[in-house]
Amino acid sequence: MLNKPSSVKLSSILKKTELFVDKIFVNGVWKSSNHVFQVTDPATGARIGAMSEATVQIARNAIAGAHEAFATFKDFSVRERSQLLRRWADLIRENSEDLAHIVTLENGKPLKEARSEVLATAQNFEWFSEATPHYSGRTIPSEKPDMQIFSFREPVGVVGIITPWNFPALMLARKVSAAVAAGCTAVVKPASETPFTASAIAYLGQEAGLPAGVLNVIPTQSHTKEVGKELTTNIHVAKVSFTGSTAVGRLLMGQASSTVKRLSLELGGNAAFIVFDDANIDKAVAGAIASKYRGSGQTCICADRFFVHEKVHDEFVEKLANRVKQLKVGPGLNPQTDIGPLINQKAVEKVQSHLDDALSKGGELVAGGHRLKDLGENFFEPTIIIKGNQSMAVFHEETFGPLAAIMKISSDAEGVALANSVEGGLASYLYTESFSRALVVSKKLESGMVGLNTGLITEVALPFGGVKQSGFGREGSEFGLDDYTVVKSVACSTA
Ligand code: ADP
């Protein structure tokens, strides 16, 4: 455990103080509203700033602005869009320390993780800057002798974007960089826990030369439902891209049906982490630490359910517990911190309830297990339980916290069946030194992504997304551009 954190004001720690923006961004203009909501540091509970709150009317204005901007932005040349994204990426890199501090203060994650997130944010803008000039449709041979078919990739239109608090910079970057690359315009509603990261990135976008209306940012807390309804029902929004809980994803999907909007939904995970008897255990332990405890276990691709072959179970558990006990829990701004606070009390209570449930159903604690109230209300030790079984909530529901639950398996088939036994299917992890086992089992796993002998899969070149109730659509890679475009088919008579 590290020292109890002291409270820090966001506006006071930035080198470029203009990056602290507490306003709404609509049609190229920053505006304060009559109402604000407070944003607090999860490490201390201290207020770090008050953000202007968007209403439904402001959401409508933002959508109207984005709609108007789309009429001209869709015809920008790919080179212009590429250069705009490149300048944006450069500005994010130049201001990366400030952005990382904003992320850490709002979200609580250790500064080293916030720095990686900001780097990945810049990489998204850079990658799509490079990809967009090379993205094209097809020339398709017709079945008829006097006909030629072309397919063009056209931007879908105005995109409503709703982002979560766990990667406040990266989630926005993934969606906005691909949308802008495709020629779309966007209205972003960031999570109310982390709105300052979104406004800082938008500020840099404006500096990079974003035309008015191409990006709008409308933070809100008390009008979340109504603003979400507007984004999913307004006739001028062509597509909604959402990352968040499965419950909210279902709601948005229902609402979006009235105007038949295109959707990308990246929802809950509950990832399986499978270790076979021929695995390199040291690698598996390192991967488990990276996958399970990053962001204090608050990522949608976090390993939750560990299935470890009985022959290597004890060695894996012992080595993992030793590593976990060395992790330093503390405030994100402390450079030594490995594990920061959880986002809020509700998150802490969920971890506690999953832990209590597991212990009451035969689970055994081998590391952690306690809240660290001396540090603050939102701190929880990285925790491991063994003797897991399917009756435990942690094996069916996402914990979204630093709790690893381990179950013994005795065959590959058992591991696969257990991994596939949940409603979601975002990521899975598999450790084996056998190429054929890796290939066979990867194909059987019902998840959109598989980490083979790695616990860290995310990068902009990876098509990111889930199957089953983890949602649909892909972010990153060229598939990410597909999601923001529609195919226009032109049949041309050559007679
Ligand atoms: P979490 O519980 O992890 O915060 P949510 O799915 O509630 O996950 O939040 C993800 C994003 O969805 C946030 O930006 C949040 O404000 C937003 N959100 C929550 N409820 C709604 C809703 N009814 N309509 C639109 N957006 C919503």
Side-chain angles (χ1 to χ4, degrees), residues 175 239-242 262-267 426 448-449 462-468 470-477 479-480 482-484:
K175 296 174 193 301
K239 174 194 165 87
V240 171
S241 177
F242 168 76
R262 288 160 60 97
L263 282 171
S264 293
L265 299 177
E266 200 263 271
L267 310 176
L426 191 58
M449 299 166 285
L462 176 94
F464 189 103
V467 297
K468 300 197 322 194
S470 290
F472 45 81
R474 291 292 176 268
E475 300 190 310
S477 81
F479 295 101
D482 291 348
D483 263 28
Y484 289 94

Side-chain angles (χ1 to χ4, degrees), residues 401-422:
L403 170 64
I406 302 178
M407 194 189 290
K408 258 185 202 172
I409 54 168
S410 51
S411 69
D412 295 12
E414 187 187 5
V416 171
L418 287 165
N420 292 345
S421 69
V422 291

Side-chain angles (χ1 to χ4, degrees), residues 162-165 189-193 220-221 224-229 231-232 242-249 251-252 255 343-344 346 400:
I162 301 177
T163 54
W165 47 262
K189 193 214 78 62
S192 57
E193 292 84 353
T220 188
Q221 187 181 57
T224 294
K225 276 191 187 155
E226 301 93 298
V227 166
K229 183 114 193 252
L231 287 173
T232 44
F242 168 76
T243 298
S245 61
T246 304
V248 174
L251 175 83
L252 298 176
Q255 290 172 179
I343 189 76
N344 54 29
K346 205 172 128 209
F400 234 58

Side-chain angles (χ1 to χ4, degrees), residues 85-329:
L85 289 164
R86 179 74 213 198
R87 284 194 298 274
W88 206 347
D90 291 344
L91 286 168
I92 290 168
R93 277 184 207 277
E94 275 167 34
N95 293 282
S96 58
E97 270 305 285
D98 277 350
L99 290 172
H101 278 80
I102 299 176
V103 169
T104 289
L105 267 178
E106 290 193 318
N107 164 284
K109 67 177 65 180
L111 205 46
K112 53 191 165 193
E113 285 187 18
R115 287 184 177 124
S116 314
E117 181 181 343
V118 172
L119 177 63
T121 298
Q123 283 164 343
N124 269 263
F125 284 97
E126 197 168 57
W127 198 93
F128 282 105
S129 149
E130 289 159 1
T132 192
H134 304 282
Y135 188 62
S136 56
R138 292 190 198 161
T139 306
I140 303 167
S142 166
E143 299 275 286
K144 300 171 191 159
D146 52 359
M147 193 70 88
Q148 177 61 54
I149 299 169
F150 301 98
S151 75
F152 297 96
R153 282 279 180 184
E154 295 187 340
V156 61
V158 176
V159 187
I161 290 177
I162 301 177
T163 54
W165 47 262
N166 63 343
F167 287 93
L170 183 58
M171 293 300 119
L172 182 145
R174 267 195 192 153
K175 296 174 193 301
V176 170
S177 58
V180 169
C184 298
T185 57
V187 178
V188 178
K189 193 214 78 62
S192 57
E193 292 84 353
T194 56
F196 290 114
T197 305
S199 54
I201 294 174
Y203 184 91
L204 293 175
Q206 198 181 24
E207 266 195 5
L210 266 179
V214 170
L215 175 67
N216 303 267
V217 182
I218 52 167
T220 188
Q221 187 181 57
S222 49
H223 301 290
T224 294
K225 276 191 187 155
E226 301 93 298
V227 166
K229 183 114 193 252
E230 189 62 32
L231 287 173
T232 44
T233 54
N234 189 303
I235 194 79
H236 289 316
V237 176
K239 174 194 165 87
V240 171
S241 177
F242 168 76
T243 298
S245 61
T246 304
V248 174
R250 278 194 197 107
L251 175 83
L252 298 176
M253 192 171 172
Q255 290 172 179
S257 69
S258 67
T259 48
V260 196
K261 293 197 196 314
R262 288 160 60 97
L263 282 171
S264 293
L265 299 177
E266 200 263 271
L267 310 176
N270 205 3
F273 190 103
I274 307 172
V275 184
F276 283 164
D277 52 358
D278 65 345
N280 176 324
I281 299 302
D282 292 330
K283 263 197 205 169
V285 167
I289 296 279
S291 165
K292 174 70 253 181
Y293 297 107
R294 194 162 59 112
S296 299
Q298 302 173 111
T299 82
C300 42
I301 54 169
C302 268
D304 271 331
R305 307 171 295 135
F306 288 74
F307 303 113
V308 183
H309 196 276
E310 58 197 5
K311 283 194 192 146
V312 293
H313 175 272
D314 292 356
E315 182 190 354
F316 177 79
V317 170
E318 192 190 332
K319 287 183 169 170
L320 184 65
N322 284 341
R323 285 284 303 277
V324 164
K325 285 173 191 165
Q326 286 162 22
L327 294 174
K328 294 199 170 49
V329 184

